Amino acid sequence: MIKETIVDGFHNAPHRSLYHALGLTDEEQARPLIGIVCSYNEIVPGHTNLDKIAQAVKLGVAMAGGTPIMFPAITVCDGIAMGHTGMKYSLVTRDLIADSTEAMVMAHGFDGLVMIPNCDKNVPGLLMASARLNIPTVFVSGGPMLAGRVNGKKRSLSSMFEAVGAYKAGSINEEQLTEFEKKVCPTCGSCSGMYTANSMNCLTEVLGMGLKGNGTIPAVYSARIELAKHAGMQVMELVRKNIRPRDIMTAAAIKNAITADMALGCSTNSMLHLPAIANELGVPFDLDEVNAISEKTPNLCHLAPAGPTYMEDLNEAGGVHAVLKELETLGLLDTSVMTCTGKTMAENLENIVNLDEEVIRKPENAFGKTGGIAALKGNLAPDGCVVKRAAVAPEMLVHEGPAKVFESEEECIAAIYGGKIVKGDVVVIRYEGPAGGPGMREMLSPTSAIAGMGLDKDVALITDGRFSGATRGASIGHVSPEAANGGVIAYVKDGDIISIDIPNYSIKLNVSDEELAKRKAEMPIKKKEVSGYLKRYAAQVSSADKGAIINK
């Protein structure tokens, strides 16, 4: 649907009268109408600056001859929602965002869109919407937060969660904990490490839907406002050339995004969001292909929590495009793909230089020969599970130990703080999957508690839920099938030996098939009583290996 459908002709006079009610002149109505999808709110730190981004985008659109019209999209702050019932409402908003944006655009007939997301599910939700709607679209995010500083060291939100574990373990006192609290999140913006929000904003550049710098220019830099103006101007160019999201987000672009994901060391949540975006595009997505790409893609970045560098450092080093330039030299990208610049990726990379070879390693000096994420399979996860390999200590890449099983995140947290988790354990948290949670809660609290108490090099954690990009250690999520759907994870018992071999992409419950069959007959699947949107979501959502998409 385009503007002419509801604006031009005598029969559309009633529609035009309502545009006049908005104060739109005849001249404005005659220009392309550009929807500005702004996710501004006053509760998410990554979104409190989006009103300024939106105004800059509107100026850019107007300067290039369009008429900008803004409408909202929701988002949840995963950090604030972490560790309580609110986290059940995080992943589920991805589909609400996609659906509500589709409804607004189809009802009002825009010629083009500028999407202004920033945090977590907001970015993939709007990417899913753009794939569905397929009208000229540019993304410009709110940008990452600057790193905090405590005791002269850069810190971020994951440092805060780990500080809670350290306080509980007696490693720091209340005064030190308060110092972390006041200093780790010093500005607006998406939290400063390579967490989910920044992962997806970086991958938006790789997918060709965001301009250079979209993933890395800090929220508080004036360059972010300039980028927003350019995004507003660029969407008009896409409208004129009729370049649409499905011209840009092709199967090759999805593969490029997986490759860049491996080099950057992105959040494991990308293994939920890229499949969901691919599904909207009609592009197949297979976890086995993820491993195949990982095998030949070096891990070039160790951003927090995997290492000591932050998004501001990646920006100074040349940003996402500098990472792509290194991958281009290895022949790992299809650079013929179209982008929202109206040029191919190859053209966009022509004059790009890596400005800091410690932040973005050269391939011959990579942090690892393989990519940042691995998908594991075995009898415990026949359809797969994922781990952020780049954030796992070398001594935990291969691990075997006894299971300690918990039916929820809360039970696990109590056990960790109660000193019931010891070196060598394999913590299992189940009934936290997409349908079983429902909502597939992100579990930064238990992983941070384990790290804060100094156990991250000795204890593994496995769940059918998911983890924050802020997680480090042998944290394995997205176990599929999930417990609520009768997956093997539902039948694990305390003391069962679990073997993890990340380099060989293997995860195994060392229990015989006969014993598992006996347990399946004796151990009923647990069902949670839920209502409202969560009830509808639980009934419709797919497994994690399919991207936790809403089944059609």
Side-chain angles (χ1 to χ4, degrees), residues 82 158 161-163 165 268 305 409 412-413 416-417 427 429 442-457 459-463 466-477:
M82 195 74 65
S158 57
F161 277 88
E162 290 178 16
T268 50
E409 178 185 4
C412 180
I413 286 285
I416 294 169
Y417 287 148
V427 175
I429 306 175
E442 194 171 82
M443 286 179 269
L444 179 57
S445 296
T447 59
S448 296
I450 287 170
M453 297 179 79
L455 294 171
D456 59 296
K457 295 181 180 179
V459 171
L461 196 156
I462 298 171
T463 182
R466 63 193 178 91
F467 296 114
S468 165
T471 295
R472 61 187 174 95
S475 300
I476 300 167

Side-chain angles (χ1 to χ4, degrees), residues 155-175:
R155 303 287 187 177
S156 62
L157 184 64
S158 57
S159 308
M160 183 69 252
F161 277 88
E162 290 178 16
V164 173
Y167 173 74
K168 193 70 178 179
S171 303
I172 62 173
N173 59 33
E174 186 174 356
E175 184 178 347

Side-chain angles (χ1 to χ4, degrees), residues 305-344:
T309 53
Y310 292 79
M311 295 306 296
E312 61 201 65
D313 302 311
L314 180 58
N315 187 63
E316 294 302 317
V320 174
H321 277 55
V323 176
L324 295 179
K325 188 70 174 181
E326 296 293 354
L327 295 173
E328 182 188 37
T329 63
L330 297 175
L332 295 177
L333 299 172
D334 182 344
T335 58
S336 69
V337 293
M338 178 55 63
T339 73
C340 68
T341 64
K343 299 177 181 179
T344 64

Side-chain angles (χ1 to χ4, degrees), residues 37 73-74 91 93-102 115 117 119-133 139 200 273 276-277 280:
V37 188
I74 64 167
L91 179 60
T93 64
R94 187 185 70 184
D95 294 276
L96 281 175
I97 291 161
D99 293 348
S100 59
T101 302
E102 176 191 353
M115 305 291 200
C119 289
D120 295 299
K121 314 312 161 293
N122 187 233
V123 187
L126 291 178
L127 282 165
M128 289 163 66
S130 66
R132 281 186 208 172
L133 293 163
F139 276 67
M200 292 311 300
H273 302 322
I277 295 162
E280 297 290 347

Side-chain angles (χ1 to χ4, degrees), residues 371-392:
I373 291 177
L376 315 182
K377 286 188 176 181
N379 68 340
L380 185 56
D383 294 335
C385 56
V386 297
V387 62
K388 190 172 182 176
R389 171 169 43 189
V392 178

Side-chain angles (χ1 to χ4, degrees), residues 235-406:
V235 76
M236 293 302 298
E237 186 69 14
L238 296 184
V239 169
R240 282 189 282 270
K241 292 181 177 179
N242 195 30
I243 298 174
R244 300 169 180 252
R246 292 190 177 212
D247 300 322
I248 295 170
M249 290 193 289
T250 60
I254 293 289
K255 189 173 180 179
N256 285 343
I258 298 171
T259 303
D261 185 314
M262 296 302 161
L264 285 162
C266 290
S267 164
T268 50
N269 279 313
S270 64
M271 293 298 105
L272 288 174
H273 302 322
L274 287 176
I277 295 162
N279 176 68
E280 297 290 347
L281 295 164
V283 172
F285 191 100
D286 187 344
L287 283 178
D288 290 334
E289 185 178 17
V290 170
N291 285 341
I293 292 172
S294 180
E295 278 294 321
K296 57 186 178 184
T297 306
N299 178 220
L300 303 181
C301 300
H302 259 194
L303 295 148
T309 53
Y310 292 79
M311 295 306 296
E312 61 201 65
D313 302 311
L314 180 58
N315 187 63
E316 294 302 317
V320 174
H321 277 55
V323 176
L324 295 179
K325 188 70 174 181
E326 296 293 354
L327 295 173
E328 182 188 37
T329 63
L330 297 175
L332 295 177
L333 299 172
D334 182 344
T335 58
S336 69
V337 293
M338 178 55 63
T339 73
C340 68
T341 64
K343 299 177 181 179
T344 64
M345 179 184 285
E347 291 174 296
N348 292 340
L349 295 179
E350 281 179 1
N351 299 311
I352 299 299
V353 177
N354 179 354
L355 300 173
D356 190 329
E357 294 179 12
E358 277 305 304
V359 176
I360 305 171
R361 293 277 183 92
K362 289 287 185 181
E364 59 269 22
N365 188 37
F367 289 102
K369 294 181 180 179
T370 53
I373 291 177
L376 315 182
K377 286 188 176 181
N379 68 340
L380 185 56
D383 294 335
C385 56
V386 297
V387 62
K388 190 172 182 176
R389 171 169 43 189
V392 178
E395 53 266 50
M396 287 299 292
L397 289 170
V398 177
H399 180 76
E400 185 172 276
K404 287 195 175 169
V405 183
F406 303 94

